[in-house]
Amino acid sequence: MRRVIVAAVLLFLPGAAPAQEPSPGEQLPVVKRVLPNGMTFLFLRRSGAPTVSFVTHFRAGAVDEWTGISGTAHLFEHMLFKGSHSIGTTNAAAEQALFPAIDAVADSFTAEFRKGGTTDSARLEALRDRLKQLEDSARTFVESNELDRILTENGAQFLNASTNTDVTNYYFALPSNRAKLWFLLESDRIRNPVLREFYSEREVVMEERRLRVETQPAGLLREEFLQAAFRAHPYGRPVVGIASEIQAVSRRSAEEYFKRFYGPNNAVVAIVGDITVDTMALWADRYFADIPAGEPHRPVVTQEPPQRGERRIEVEYDANPQVLIGYHVPSGEHPDAAALSVLSAVLTGGRTSRLYQRLVIQDRVATNIGSGMAPGQLYPRLLQFSGVPIAPHSTQEIEAAVYEEVTRLEREAPTDYEMQRVRNQVQAGAIQRLQDNFGLAFQLSSSEALWYDWRQTFRFQSALARVTAADVQRVARTYLTKSNRTVATLVRPATPGAAAAAEGSR
Amino acid sequence: MRAPLVYGALLAAALAPAAAQQAGDAKAQVQALQFAPLRFTPPTAKRVVLSNGVPVYLLPDHGLPLLNVAIVSRVGVGHLPDSLWGVGWQADNLMRTGGTTRLAPDSVDKLIDFYALAVNISTGNEQSTASFSGLSRYRDQMLELGFDLLRNSRNDSARVRITADQQLENWRRRNDQPGSILNRAWSQVMVGDHPIGRSLVTPGEVAGFTPARFRWTQQRIFCPQNLLIGVSGDFDERALIAKLESLFRGWAACLPGLRPLPPLQVTPGPRTVLVEKDVNQTNIRMGHAGGLKVANTPEYFAAEVADFLLGGGGGFNSRLLQRVRSDSGFAYSVFSNWGADTKREDLFFAGAQIRAEKTVAGVSLMRHIIASMATEPVTPRDVKLAQDNEVNSFVFQFDSPGQIVATQLGYAIDGLPANWFDLYLRGIQAVTPAQVADVSRRYLHPDRLVTVIVGKPSLFDQPLESLGPVIRLPVDSIRR
């Protein structure tokens, strides 16, 4: 009886979701202005509280790093909060005169560190202490965290930044009467950054790595999983950096990274909130137009060669098991990207999805099962499944269920109900994402930075709604094959603690 | 090469004097900035009372076809008999997943997924919440389903088994991450087995999961007299109120059987507790009883400013972040939290994840920084930073209708006046550096800190005992 009731309810849905209609976001009155130096601004006036959100994306990600400097994109992101020739210092010239001596000790530290097995640990620690002493002496001229102080006293919110594989972003929101402050501070720090307190910040980043990766089973598993799946493309390299490389990054390579990738032509700013567009455009011109253009961003040339056979790895850590399963799939702009997203939603999107139903509700094998695209969008990537078993069930049982459901999907097309559910979720999500000025600014800026088109992310919503059941089956058959798969499993070491002990002795 | 560059610069200066000025002293320009006053009258939520006495806060916004409903209950899991704590902690999960007397669990899941509704129910220790949101054209479906979940929970026995299995797996995984060990060890050491320190269900409690026991707790947490409702988004007031009245019709009064939250006994320090875990970064927390209540008093506001400047919101200019992170490079994350509540005692604490090889140096530094709040008094400039931040960021309190409604619900639950935010702003603006030093002297006790450390002692820079006597807490003796 109850099933009948639900079926009746569903029939009366205004369910014929308007699949062909452009998503509401595409019609937003966004004003785009590109300065002569190539810097791109997106302005959107919105009613509501007098606040304004600023989000800047640079086309500068971890994939753009060269060999030996992994983690530099992220470390540089930290450095942009250290100020400029003016902000953050009482005497920039005197301060920077000390840099060569500090860098020389850092080079000695790196040289000792690079000896690996024959490193003299006493000398290494002495050099580390010396480096700290010298950097402390430069602090005489430093007004540490002055940028943060100015923004804090002006009521800035959400102040932060993040680095990912493809791009790096910087953001905060201000009361709208203080919008000019963003123009002043942001133009100053990208024009004249000074990489002060560099080596102590390098230590901070090492602790960030330990916090997110080395002491977290899921973080460690993910890192090793990506390294196994990508042998050529830099998507296999951790964004936070390989530990030994973080400890050897020099101020010079961070400056070089900046010069190469932080030209205004690689920057996209979205300004959303209670603004007057003409004023914003005027200030954009006044504060940013004279910054010389840099090198245009050149996409990574390296392509991951086709995978020839399943790859399986185990990661030993003193924790309970979990598993990641990844299939190589095309980049976010490929015509198959939408069908792959719908496939992911059919299999794991919500409690009624096929894999959740089977693994979590019926068989009680897993506490959770999820899927999504990783680690980036710009280049061919992975469709990744992640599962956490309930003892005594194993990760192998999760794997088996995933493979069986993929095979079943190839055989049995998603039902009309399943497809309509995904479309309804897409449609509701497309409206929900318009609620929040900050979220909208982030999306506009990201979309324009990645795809040179702020509407692209909205268009993708429309593309999702047009995906057919046959499309989903086709992409499953094309990409979700055994030989295209990488599986990483977290297992306990034979002697508990052995792996982490090796990690700790570095 | 140099000459053309200079020429280029001069040309740019000639063409765009304002831009050329940019290359100059940004600091001076920031100081010279003048801002027009912000003209803003925040919208206020309208309060109406349903015929059964339930207050409803309403703030329409027809900008997007979305509807958000927030429901708060004054009752939490801590108010249940102690033997039902674990049941109450998972009662929310069963309300969402266990079906209703009308609808099988699968049917509920299908409706939620198909209409793309967001349905969240959460039973907390001191209060509980439910929220429903989605497209406003599904208003009736959303409200009917949401109220069905709250009123008529089925607690399907198959779904109870799933929840039990998942909780047992959570228990198995409780020591996988150092942060989880720290949270649980900290609660056990500081407040014993008091409900506000609990966040994990034990196997013994899972053994007591039955549909009837879930039902018992749900009926006492979500029942009309306990509830307050907030609605924001695209709705018509009359139609909405009529709908709410009909949804409450016949919902019986709350049943007896609850207890007041037990009094909180905070363990006195000094005391240092070590839990060994094989990791290369040490998780640290230190603190003591907070000593203050949320109230319209100068000392509460002074404590808020003190916490902001110590590590509770002052960003990189707080003393902990400045000295432990920026100056020393010991940690990525370091913070303080001077907790206060309207009704009961709360805790003051500071925490960090510090490089294992700097553990003892880091703990000493953090203790020194806490002490410095009294011994190195904050400056007028520091206090002004905290005050300016509050005053200038006030508009963000009113950034969306949902947020305005949520704030009003929070004040009502906490027994604060509806204009609490105005009182708070005024209170903060009146704080003086002397008051911050005074409240720090009276309520912060760096010599009486309880410190809990999770890490690997063989990697530490010095024996932990150099800080004083150390109590070793084996990880398996953390009871929950």
Side-chain angles (χ1 to χ4, degrees), chain B residues 420-440:
Chain B
W420 172 247
F421 188 69
D422 297 334
L423 301 175
Y424 184 84
L425 263 191
R426 255 179 265 158
I428 294 289
Q429 283 178 276
V431 171
T432 65
Q435 286 174 330
V436 175
D438 185 57
V439 80
S440 301

Side-chain angles (χ1 to χ4, degrees), chain A residues 13 86 89 153 216 321 352, chain B residues 25 27 113-115 173 177:
Chain A
L13 268 180
S86 165
T89 185
E153 69 195 6
Q216 301 297 329
T352 56
Chain B
D25 188 355
K27 196 182 302 205
D113 279 1
F114 196 85
Y115 287 109
R173 291 173 185 265
Q177 292 168 296

Side-chain angles (χ1 to χ4, degrees), chain A residues 112-401:
Chain A
E112 190 62 46
F113 180 75
R114 280 205 180 118
K115 292 179 185 167
T118 60
T119 293
D120 176 345
S121 57
R123 179 170 152 73
L124 196 68
E125 281 314 299
L127 285 166
R128 194 199 290 268
D129 290 346
R130 179 74 187 132
L131 194 52
K132 167 131 178 60
Q133 278 171 9
L134 284 178
E135 213 161 56
D136 283 348
S137 67
R139 285 205 164 87
T140 321
F141 306 110
V142 174
E143 283 206 35
S144 192
N145 295 318
E146 188 178 19
L147 179 73
D148 187 272
R149 172 177 278 270
I150 292 167
L151 288 168
T152 301
E153 69 195 6
N154 280 283
Q157 300 287 299
F158 322 125
L159 173 60
N160 214 330
S162 72
T163 308
N164 65 44
T165 50
D166 302 340
V167 286
T168 303
N169 52 60
Y170 299 83
Y171 48 85
F172 53 87
L174 284 168
S176 53
N177 62 333
R178 286 162 198 269
K180 199 173 192 178
L181 194 61
W182 177 87
F183 291 86
L184 216 166
L185 292 174
E186 206 71 354
S187 62
D188 180 56
R189 73 168 165 172
I190 69 164
R191 186 190 303 266
N192 300 311
V194 173
L195 277 53
R196 56 176 59 91
E197 302 174 300
F198 183 84
Y199 297 102
S200 59
E201 198 64 24
R202 197 170 73 174
E203 303 280 353
V204 169
V205 167
M206 265 309 291
E207 293 316 301
E208 186 174 357
R209 179 181 160 78
R210 287 175 171 165
L211 180 69
R212 297 190 197 281
V213 180
E214 295 179 15
T215 64
Q216 301 297 329
L220 199 62
L221 180 67
R222 180 183 139 84
E223 181 172 296
E224 303 255 351
F225 167 69
L226 291 173
Q227 282 169 348
F230 292 97
R231 290 182 177 171
H233 192 272
Y235 271 173
R237 236 172 19 214
V239 171
V240 72
I242 295 162
S244 59
E245 295 184 358
I246 296 172
Q247 295 185 64
V249 172
S250 67
R251 190 184 343 240
R252 279 184 304 280
S253 49
E255 281 167 349
E256 197 183 335
Y257 182 90
F258 167 74
K259 286 199 187 96
R260 227 193 258 193
F261 298 110
Y262 274 70
N265 41 325
N266 283 331
V268 179
V269 182
I271 303 178
V272 177
D274 175 32
I275 56 169
T276 307
V277 169
D278 289 347
T279 308
M280 295 295 119
L282 185 73
W283 289 347
D285 214 48
R286 182 180 299 168
Y287 284 90
F288 291 94
D290 73 323
I291 302 177
E295 289 180 43
H297 181 258
R298 282 188 294 270
V300 172
V301 172
T302 311
Q303 296 183 17
E304 188 65 23
Q307 189 166 317
R308 299 185 181 280
E310 185 187 41
R311 292 177 196 161
R312 304 188 67 86
I313 62 160
E314 288 188 342
V315 177
E316 293 187 352
Y317 198 83
D318 185 16
N320 287 280
Q322 46 188 303
V323 64
L324 291 172
I325 305 164
Y327 297 90
H328 290 278
V329 296
S331 76
E333 63 181 340
H334 190 278
D336 285 345
L340 284 159
S341 284
V342 173
L343 181 154
S344 165
V346 167
L347 288 178
T348 68
R351 295 177 58 88
T352 56
S353 63
R354 290 185 178 191
L355 275 167
Y356 194 95
Q357 273 289 315
R358 171 163 173 180
L359 282 167
V360 180
I361 296 179
Q362 285 166 27
D363 298 346
R364 309 210 307 269
V365 163
T367 59
N368 203 5
I369 178 78
S371 69
M373 309 300 158
Q377 300 182 67
L378 215 43
Y379 304 96
R381 54 204 173 145
L382 300 177
L383 167 58
Q384 167 192 304
F385 293 86
S386 62
V388 176
I390 296 179
H393 297 288
S394 64
T395 56
Q396 287 82 359
E397 287 170 79
I398 292 179
E399 272 193 71

Side-chain angles (χ1 to χ4, degrees), chain A residues 98-117:
Chain A
L98 299 172
F99 284 3
I102 298 172
D103 291 338
V105 175
D107 289 345
S108 303
F109 174 89
T110 304
E112 190 62 46
F113 180 75
R114 280 205 180 118
K115 292 179 185 167

Side-chain angles (χ1 to χ4, degrees), chain B residues 95 100-101 145-154 215 218-219 222-224 244-252:
Chain B
M95 290 170 86
T100 71
T101 48
L145 179 64
F147 272 70
D148 200 21
L149 297 177
L150 295 184
R151 282 183 72 164
N152 308 313
S153 202
R154 177 191 295 206
R215 187 85 196 108
Q218 290 154 351
Q219 283 176 325
F222 288 99
C223 50
L244 288 174
E245 290 282 4
S246 79
L247 290 165
F248 270 109
R249 205 159 295 140
W251 193 345

Side-chain angles (χ1 to χ4, degrees), chain B residues 187-218:
Chain B
S187 293
Q188 179 165 317
V189 170
M190 286 304 275
V191 301
D193 198 31
H194 192 278
I196 71 153
R198 301 180 195 172
S199 58
L200 187 67
V201 179
T202 65
E205 288 169 329
V206 171
F209 280 7
T210 63
R213 285 158 70 92
F214 280 113
R215 187 85 196 108
W216 196 95
T217 63
Q218 290 154 351

